[in-house]
Amino acid sequence: MTTSAEAPSSSTLLDHVEAINWNRLQDEKDGEVWNRLVNNFWLPEKVPVSNDIPSWGTLTEEEKVLTMRVFTGLTLLDTIQGTVGAVALIPHSLTQHEEAVLTNIAFMESVHAKSYSSIFSTLCSTKEIDDAFRWSKENPNLQRKAQIVMDYYHGDDGLKKRVASTILESFLFYSGFYLPMHWSSRAKLTNTADVIRLIIRDEAVHGYYIGYKYQRALEQETEARREELKAYTFDLLFELYENEVQYTHDLYDGVGLAEDVKKFLHYNANKALMNLGYEAMFPSEVTNVNPAILSALSPNADENHDFFSGSGSSYVIGKAVETEDEDWDF
Amino acid sequence: MTTATMTSAQLIYFSSVSNNTHRFVEKLQLPDGETARLPLRTAEETLQATEPYVLVVPSYGADGGSGSVPKQVIKFLNVESNRRLLRGVIGAGNTNFQESYCIAGDIIAAKCGVPHLYRFELMGTEHDVSTVRQGLEEFWKQQSSLSAV
């Protein structure tokens, strides 16, 4: 249950376990997040991806290859997070309930990884699938990001593992998530996009939770160590960002979308930092995500929904309507 | 018998132990007494507003059904006078939650017939902070000219 920096064996598996009592929570967030994750549970088989077969046929060869490469890249990250990332955090948990939540996260990451295979088997031939997986093994920038994160997962520092994990959940996925949102904004592969939206929703809870636990663990550290971890976080994010820019150019230059993807990267890098309790780093001039992408993600996220900054479509003038106590239930 | 804590704050907010919304409100740098945080636990006595106010409320990815509005906020809004003094809502959330982004703000705005003034993510960026600070200033000016008529 407590962080241990001793022998490698103690940081890979817990030495001692007690029967978990969910009736005594030390951190209410554990119960809240467990419930949220359980309520969000889904399986790819529930989404009718086969309805996308006609739409898949309208993509050019280049667009198909791009889509498959993006999805194998995402598969790799989900595989890492499911079998190494979330599991590696368990020995560093602050509470037993956190350990249990991490097992849920690990399993769900494996569901995410499998859902790409289920999309592939619906839309593509075996040869195309094999080619895309081969590409993922050979692309240097994809392999490099996997290696950077894996190195930290194998270290002994529970806080650094949490930082790497939060950055993966809240930042590294988004060069890939961009593409299905792009197709969806053009009314293409919309069922596939529905699968990805379910994944995106889960990753938000994972990034929020692991980032929150990072901040709780940070409270127990000295000021010097906090400074060290903050510097480490920004260094790691920057290292991964530079690699991510290369990866984005590799993938998207051919279809002319790289600059648009980069805005989405900046926007999500800021959210990764906020999940870790740090201020956003990229200024609003470079985080202005294409509104079509943002609205494919979240239909009410545009400025028109804000009275302060937009056209004020949500503004209701006048006094509050009187509400009766009896109908005041949610 | 306990009496509810009175507050004349113009900005009342809920923030869970993650403190995201709390950090956002701190960054607004409003004068002391102009912000009030709702109690973390529902067992605690809720606040009682004495002046018109704007409510800041986070959403955590619920789908719009029960549990979408934090129960601490429900308890606060169950007080009739608190609903009467509510002038607007600011939602906090994460666009990853899609149509449920800031859903608690939508629900409260619709139920109380007040505008959902602004939405921001997590603890808000600098841009969010300056927009809200300026927006609130103008909003209160408008409100006082409306009530003067």
Side-chain angles (χ1 to χ4, degrees), chain B residues 50-105:
Chain B
T50 59
E51 296 289 331
Y53 68 93
V54 165
L55 182 70
V56 190
V57 60
S59 299
Y60 301 105
D63 58 7
S66 80
S68 297
V69 180
K71 48 192 190 310
Q72 295 85 343
V73 175
I74 295 176
K75 181 172 180 180
F76 170 72
L77 288 173
N78 268 329
V79 179
E80 196 274 334
S81 56
N82 286 340
R83 293 202 295 280
R84 194 156 26 85
L85 290 165
L86 176 65
R87 292 294 179 268
V89 188
I90 293 172
N94 190 328
T95 56
N96 286 38
F97 297 135
Q98 301 146 41
E99 58 281 349
S100 303
Y101 174 49
C102 298
I103 188 93

Side-chain angles (χ1 to χ4, degrees), chain A residues 210-274:
Chain A
I210 298 169
Y212 162 75
K213 287 293 182 176
Y214 167 74
Q215 294 175 63
R216 294 313 293 260
L218 205 56
E219 286 166 7
Q220 301 169 10
E221 300 289 333
T222 61
E223 193 52 43
R225 172 101 160 112
R226 280 186 223 174
E227 285 304 315
E228 179 210 332
L229 283 158
K230 184 176 181 181
Y232 157 80
T233 300
F234 282 84
D235 285 350
L236 176 61
L237 183 71
F238 202 69
E239 183 184 8
L240 287 166
Y241 168 73
E242 288 200 307
N243 185 65
E244 211 55 17
V245 167
Q246 293 302 314
Y247 182 62
T248 298
H249 283 294
D250 277 359
L251 284 168
Y252 292 98
D253 272 350
V255 293
L257 289 171
E259 293 310 310
D260 215 35
V261 178
K262 282 199 263 179
K263 288 181 182 176
F264 198 51
L265 294 185
H266 302 150
Y267 165 73
N268 284 290
N270 278 351
K271 287 167 71 170
L273 285 171
M274 287 196 274

Side-chain angles (χ1 to χ4, degrees), chain A residues 3 27 29 35 50 57 100 103 108 162 165 182 191 206 231 239 254 256 283 296:
Chain A
T3 310
D27 184 345
K29 222 18 120 187
N35 289 336
S50 59
T103 63
M108 218 48 219
R162 286 191 183 92
S165 209
H182 169 78
N191 295 281
H206 298 173
E239 183 184 8

